[in-house]
């Protein structure tokens, strides 16, 4: 018995591997504002907000004014000892019409941001698409059109050629499942469509095709050594009781539940069960599409908020069953709902929002199922209300995060190759259709003055980064 640590350091078994990256994540529409400045074209989210579709009447016109305050925001990151930052590039800032004539001032903004990060010792990780499609492309059919996947590949090539001298990691698309299912099936996110199941399936196919084209564009245009992968909110499974049989069951379920997204991206084919499930609604695709979609990636980026289904082994043909009452995974016909749609869940399902083991199984199963060599936790966080944050003591967030990071540390200790963690989010921001009410930030933002104030969670994450350990 050595007893508890007597100084401020944590015991060795709570430490993360040397060189582990600690960072925060954001998305362009949620923070930048400057929606029509310096030649930027409108995105589908500008249109969606201007039409009054955001719950509290918010728009992204100003958001939290990051476009003008990025230097101050980089200092917030530096103050918490962050070594990495995940941000997204606004496609219509770069190509106001989606394709054709680029807007030099748009690219300049991201060059300035990246230079500022590097000057402060923070490694930039860029997401190419976090849902803000140029409206000009939506007018031509958006993701329902194959041409959008092609345009995304072209835009990715343009960025790779111009930013890979200083950005070494690119994420292609953020949360395919959210913008496909909720934006095109349920109309909750932009572009607010409620398409038929067959049409949604085609949108999904074009999204993963866009990912594959972007991977290829980065390979062709970026500097050698540039790494690329997706940033998906994988529909997460976990064994309800940790036995070898149940772990195998969780792996099989993971592969099935993500068949239209991660499985096809990692394996380059739609599973027979997936195609049989779609029946007459299956997407139209070619074998060349599948090759492109399956282009090898360097890492898997995964946004982890919860376990979506606890499973166990069964005698059924598929070898697993979802444990009754423990699933946010819908039957195949009903699209899955991520965090921002959770208001629709009954309480029993909300309990799953506190499922820290999602960190362990959400990363470990990527190795078991697809042999992932590198993993980044591209998002993880929880919302509070303005009242809860009013005095800056978001203790609930600290308690929640400590539980999640304990499970993440368990994964790295078991040899799961997680290289970094990006907290969602650096600061309070525009939570899509839910407006400004859900507060996800480590920093509070006073919307009247745009003043940023660190919450308790910012001090906590700083200590985690400093000790490189769960504290
Ligand atoms: C998205 C973020 C969002 C967060 C919290 C993820 O779905 O990528 O943009 O703000 O979760 O809901």
């Amino acid at each position: 018995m050595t007893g508890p640590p007597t100084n401020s350091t944590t015991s060795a078994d709570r430490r993360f591997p040397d060189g582990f990256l600690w960072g925060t994540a954001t998305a362009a529409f949620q923070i930048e504002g400057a929606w029509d400045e310096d030649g930027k074209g409108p995105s589908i989210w500008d249109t969606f907000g201007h039409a009054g579709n955001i719950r509290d009447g918010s728009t992204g016109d100003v958001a939290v004014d990051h476009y003008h305050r990025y230097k101050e925001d980089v200092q917030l990151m530096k103050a918490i000892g962050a070594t990495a930052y995940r941000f997204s590039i606004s496609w219509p800032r770069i190509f106001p019409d989606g394709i054709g004539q680029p807007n030099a001032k748009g690219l300049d903004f991201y060059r300035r941001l990246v230079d500022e990060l590097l000057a402060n010792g923070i490694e930039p990780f860029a997401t190419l698409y976090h849902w803000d499609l140029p409206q000009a492309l939506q007018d031509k059919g958006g993701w329902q059109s194959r041409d959008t996947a092609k345009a995304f590949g072209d835009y990715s090539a343009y960025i790779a050629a111009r930013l890979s001298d200083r950005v070494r990691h690119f994420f292609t698309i953020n949360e395919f499942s959210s913008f496909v299912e909720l934006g095109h099936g349920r109309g909750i996110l932009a572009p607010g469509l409620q398409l038929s199941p067959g049409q949604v399936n085609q949108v999904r196919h074009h999204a993963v095709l866009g990912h594959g084209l972007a991977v290829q564009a980065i390979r062709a245009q970026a500097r050698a050594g540039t790494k690329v992968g997706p940033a998906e909110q994988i529909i997460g499974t976990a064994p309800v009781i940790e036995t070898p049989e149940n772990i195998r069951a969780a792996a099989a379920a993971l592969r099935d539940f993500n068949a239209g997204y991660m499985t096809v991206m990692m394996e380059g084919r739609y599973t027979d069960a997936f195609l049989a499930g779609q029946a007459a609604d299956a997407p139209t695709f070619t074998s060349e599409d599948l090759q492109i979609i399956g282009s090898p990636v360097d890492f898997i980026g995964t946004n982890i908020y919860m376990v979506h289904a606890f499973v166990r082994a069964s005698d059924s043909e598929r070898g697993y069953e979802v444990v009754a009452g423990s699933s946010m995974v819908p039957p195949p016909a009903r699209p899955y709902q991520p965090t921002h749609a959770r208001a629709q869940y009954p309480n029993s399902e909300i309990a799953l929002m506190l499922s820290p083991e999602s960190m362990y199984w959400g990363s470990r199963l990527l190795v078991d199922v697809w042999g992932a060599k590198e993993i980044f936790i591209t998002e993880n966080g929880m919302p509070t209300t303005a009242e809860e944050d009013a005095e800056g003591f978001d203790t609930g967030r600290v308690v929640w995060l400590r539980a999640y990071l304990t499970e993440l540390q368990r994964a790295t200790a078991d040899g799961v190759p997680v290289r970094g963690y990006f907290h969602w989010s650096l600061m309070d921001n525009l939570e899509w259709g839910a407006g400004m009410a859900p507060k996800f930030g480590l920093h509070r933002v006073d919307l009247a003055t745009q003043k940023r104030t660190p919450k308790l969670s910012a001090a906590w994450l700083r200590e985690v980064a400093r000790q490189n350990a769960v504290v």
Side-chain angles (χ1 to χ4, degrees), residues 277-292:
Q278 307 295 338
D281 288 328
T284 310
F285 62 90
T286 65
S287 57
E288 198 204 337
D289 288 358
L290 293 178
Q291 253 177 14
I292 296 169

Side-chain angles (χ1 to χ4, degrees), residues 70-104:
Y70 71 93
K71 287 192 177 174
E72 180 187 345
D73 293 338
V74 171
Q75 289 312 308
L76 300 179
M77 300 173 207
K78 192 174 180 187
I80 58 171
T83 45
Y85 174 52
R86 173 180 175 238
F87 63 97
S88 83
I89 296 175
S90 159
W91 181 353
R93 231 181 248 300
I94 308 293
F95 287 100
D97 298 323
I99 48 169
Q101 193 58 36
N103 170 37

Side-chain angles (χ1 to χ4, degrees), residues 236-238 304-308 310 352-353 355-364 380 404 407:
T237 61
I304 297 183
Y305 289 89
M306 73 198 88
V307 171
H308 296 94
F310 284 93
L352 292 181
M353 301 293 294
S355 43
E357 54 273 77
S358 55
M359 278 292 194
Y360 181 82
W361 295 107
S363 50
R364 147 109 189 243
N380 168 243
Y404 274 68
E407 289 285 329

Side-chain angles (χ1 to χ4, degrees), residues 108-403:
D108 278 355
F109 169 68
Y110 295 105
R111 282 197 168 131
R112 290 198 302 278
L113 170 64
V114 164
D115 288 348
E116 189 71 14
L117 290 164
L118 292 171
N120 285 280
I122 299 167
E123 201 177 328
F125 284 65
T127 307
L128 291 162
Y129 186 71
H130 202 126
W131 307 351
D132 46 354
L133 188 75
Q135 180 61 44
L137 293 185
Q138 187 60 44
D139 295 342
K140 296 184 202 161
W143 288 105
Q144 285 183 266
S145 162
R146 211 183 152 82
D147 291 346
T148 294
K150 159 100 178 44
F152 181 60
D154 293 347
Y155 148 72
S156 302
Y158 180 86
I159 295 289
R162 285 159 189 81
L163 276 186
S164 64
D165 56 342
R166 38 203 127 170
V167 177
R168 314 302 295 143
H169 293 82
F170 287 94
F171 300 108
T172 54
I173 292 183
N174 177 75
E175 286 197 10
F176 301 71
S177 45
S178 300
F179 82 89
V180 171
E181 317 290 342
L182 298 180
H184 297 82
R186 298 182 47 93
I188 297 171
L189 301 179
L193 300 176
Q194 296 187 342
L195 303 175
S196 69
Q199 289 171 315
V200 174
N201 288 338
Q202 199 63 47
V203 165
R204 185 187 303 112
H205 178 71
H206 292 154
V208 290
L209 181 61
H211 155 85
L213 289 168
V215 173
Q216 294 194 344
I218 285 171
R219 300 266 182 257
Q221 296 293 331
R223 276 194 13 186
T226 307
K227 293 187 172 182
V228 59
E232 170 66 325
Q233 181 165 182
I234 294 167
I235 300 174
T237 61
V240 68
I241 299 173
E242 294 186 9
T243 64
E245 299 73 34
N246 289 349
I247 294 170
R248 279 196 295 278
L254 185 85
R255 198 169 162 264
D256 279 357
F257 294 165
N258 294 280
Y261 298 106
M262 282 311 296
T263 307
V264 68
M265 289 189 268
M266 298 308 291
E267 302 181 16
R269 61 180 291 264
Y270 288 121
T271 62
D272 295 342
F274 176 75
L275 291 177
Q278 307 295 338
D281 288 328
T284 310
F285 62 90
T286 65
S287 57
E288 198 204 337
D289 288 358
L290 293 178
Q291 253 177 14
I292 296 169
I293 294 166
S295 300
V297 294
D298 299 297
F299 56 78
I300 297 180
T302 175
N303 296 354
I304 297 183
Y305 289 89
M306 73 198 88
V307 171
H308 296 94
F310 284 93
V311 300
R312 63 182 177 192
S314 84
D315 296 335
S316 68
E317 199 186 317
R318 51 188 195 171
Y320 62 85
E321 66 185 11
V322 171
V323 177
S326 81
S327 174
M328 292 178 82
V329 178
R334 202 181 99 200
Y336 131 84
Q337 318 280 320
T339 37
H340 25 256
R342 81 177 148 272
Q344 305 163 28
Y345 289 108
N347 285 337
S348 62
E349 293 185 350
I350 288 176
L352 292 181
M353 301 293 294
L354 177 64
S355 43
E357 54 273 77
S358 55
M359 278 292 194
Y360 181 82
W361 295 107
S363 50
R364 147 109 189 243
L365 291 178
L366 302 182
V367 179
D368 292 7
V369 178
W370 294 303
K373 297 276 186 302
E374 277 198 4
I375 296 167
F376 289 99
I377 308 302
T378 37
E379 287 181 26
N380 168 243
M382 63 159 271
T384 43
T385 62
E387 294 70 36
E388 284 164 333
D389 286 354
E391 292 177 44
F393 291 103
D394 55 340
T395 320
R397 177 174 285 109
V398 172
V399 172
W400 190 92
L401 285 173
R402 184 162 29 236

